[in-house]
Amino acid sequence: MTRTRVLIVDRDEPEPDLIAEAAVVLSRGGLVAFATETVYGLGAVATNADAVRGIFQAKGRPSNNPLIVHAADVDHARRYAARWDDRAESLARRFWPGPLTLVVPRTASIPDVVAAGGPTVGVRVPAPTVARRLIERVGLPLAAPSANRSNRISPTLAEHVAADLDGRVDLILDSGPTAVGLESTVLDLTAEPPRVLRPGPITADELSAALGVAVESGPVATDPGRLASPGMLPVHYAPKTRALRVPTVAELVAVDWPERAGLIAFEPLPEGSIPDRVVRFVLPDPVVAARELYRALHDLDARGLDLIVAVEPPAGAAWDAPRDRLRRATTPHR
Ligand code: TXA
Ligand code: MG
């Protein structure tokens, strides 16, 4: 594949000719990266098994990790579910378009490669106009994982996609930074009770309140060939730079800082807790932290530092998704 083309598209009123151009690439089996509200996705037509295989190849993704299918609206998504019960309907009506993926039994029109051979499919309706216009124009749902090489940090800017996947995908639609910044919550509706497989912007408590039933969290043991949700592997999303985490800002004094180092923290730093030379991102609000975490990691990683240190986010459900992603991107200090 030659160099990837980048088209800059208006986030609120996407130019119809640019959407049409991207739709043609997809309809011919190509790969197009586009922004969702969470992170940039790497899209292919979900019903085209060959095109979807191209996603796995471009990312270097293991074939046992299923992809999320993006639909234009609730009715569109429902067509690809072999069972769509009241729970699915009420969550879809309440949270879509939005950062919630529902795992439901799949129909035969979803190829095995999308589902990693399993009986279910993860579906969601993304919020941005660009994403929904694109799906509408293609007329078919788009399978799209995050648009990064496997095990790298997810992209929240088109520049992140280009840096990671240039020459490996056909087209990038650049509509600016993503609004939410962390991947969708993945909820398994085939489990009883429903189970959050990946924490995200919509918390288990919100889902539980909407459903009126308890919602569990965390992976369940399944057959070893097929991961319940590989996003739940302990290390994922890793930067290239050595990255450690400490539990609290008080522990920062124990760090042996190299000359070139960076820090990410989620509360103000006590005076004199780190050397002045350390490049720092302090993100004390959970919404800002979600939006900026990957950008901060990409930024620090691109500087060629010798060490990145992160302080774990404070307790509380609002911090669950940032805490989860940060834990996957770092290893404990000592
Ligand atoms: O916000 C997001 O979800 C982004 C944007 C692009 O939509 N996508 C994303 O895709 O994060 P990806 O492939 O990086 O992560 C998908 C997660 C993985 O943990 C995968 O195992 C899980 O969703 N998943 C997908 N389909 C599933 C299924 N049928 N059963 C269980 N888990 C599934
Ligand atoms: Mg991913």
Side-chain angles (χ1 to χ4, degrees):
M1 193 177 287
T2 50
R3 281 205 76 175
T4 298
R5 290 172 60 225
V6 179
L7 297 177
I8 296 176
V9 58
D10 191 280
R11 197 189 54 168
D12 303 313
E13 290 173 43
E15 296 79 355
D17 54 321
L18 299 184
I19 296 295
E21 203 174 328
V24 167
V25 173
L26 288 163
S27 299
R28 290 180 180 156
L31 305 183
V32 175
F34 61 94
T36 76
E37 72 277 51
T38 59
V39 300
Y40 272 75
L42 179 58
V45 170
T47 53
N48 180 340
D50 283 335
V52 172
R53 273 190 277 276
I55 293 178
F56 284 87
Q57 202 165 26
K59 283 183 59 95
R61 180 177 176 112
S63 60
N64 62 355
N65 192 354
L67 303 182
I68 293 172
V69 169
H70 298 68
D73 55 38
V74 179
D75 293 334
H76 190 209
R78 198 194 286 115
R79 269 188 250 162
Y80 298 91
R83 196 182 70 235
W84 189 260
D85 59 15
D86 292 347
R87 288 178 178 175
E89 183 68 14
S90 69
L91 292 177
R93 295 284 167 205
R94 166 87 172 74
F95 293 106
W96 286 354
L100 174 65
T101 295
L102 299 176
V103 173
V104 294
R106 69 172 156 126
T107 62
S109 52
I110 298 296
D112 285 348
V113 60
V114 170
T120 62
V121 62
V123 286
R124 79 179 191 99
V125 175
T129 310
V130 172
R132 282 186 289 144
R133 292 270 164 82
L134 184 61
I135 297 163
E136 282 163 14
R137 180 79 200 205
V138 173
L140 289 166
L142 299 179
S146 51
N148 51 281
R149 299 288 285 269
S150 205
N151 297 329
R152 302 299 326 279
I153 305 160
S154 293
T156 57
L157 293 174
E159 288 82 354
H160 297 156
V161 181
D164 218 19
L165 291 174
D166 187 33
R168 305 179 73 89
V169 306
D170 297 290
L171 185 66
I172 300 171
L173 284 181
D174 179 354
S175 55
T178 61
V180 176
L182 290 183
E183 299 90 341
S184 63
T185 305
V186 178
L187 180 71
D188 186 354
L189 283 176
T190 69
E192 185 57 49
R195 177 176 290 270
V196 172
L197 299 178
R198 178 174 71 181
I202 295 169
T203 64
D205 287 349
E206 287 177 272
L207 295 170
S208 177
L211 286 174
V213 299
V215 165
E216 313 223 302
S217 292
V220 270
T222 49
D223 85 77
R226 190 175 162 273
L227 302 169
S229 192
M232 301 301 290
L233 290 176
V235 177
H236 199 68
Y237 315 113
K240 291 175 192 147
T241 314
R242 191 162 75 103
L244 303 177
R245 65 171 180 272
V246 297
T248 66
V249 288
E251 257 95 343
L252 285 170
V253 294
V255 174
D256 185 10
W257 296 95
E259 196 49 42
R260 295 176 47 70
L263 173 89
I264 300 179
F266 303 92
E267 59 192 299
L269 301 175
E271 193 75 32
S273 53
I274 61 170
D276 287 346
R277 65 175 185 278
V278 177
V279 186
R280 68 204 66 187
F281 288 87
V282 180
L283 310 168
D285 171 275
V287 173
V288 175
R291 201 174 61 219
E292 304 292 335
L293 176 60
Y294 287 148
R295 215 199 307 199
L297 283 170
H298 276 286
D299 177 295
L300 292 174
D301 208 22
R303 288 170 187 261
L305 304 172
D306 296 314
L307 178 67
I308 297 170
V309 175
V311 186
E312 287 215 44
W319 290 99
D320 281 354
R323 188 184 308 108
D324 171 75
R325 303 308 189 276
L326 194 88
R327 283 180 154 247
R328 290 169 208 290
T330 56
T331 50
H333 181 246
R334 275 153 220 263

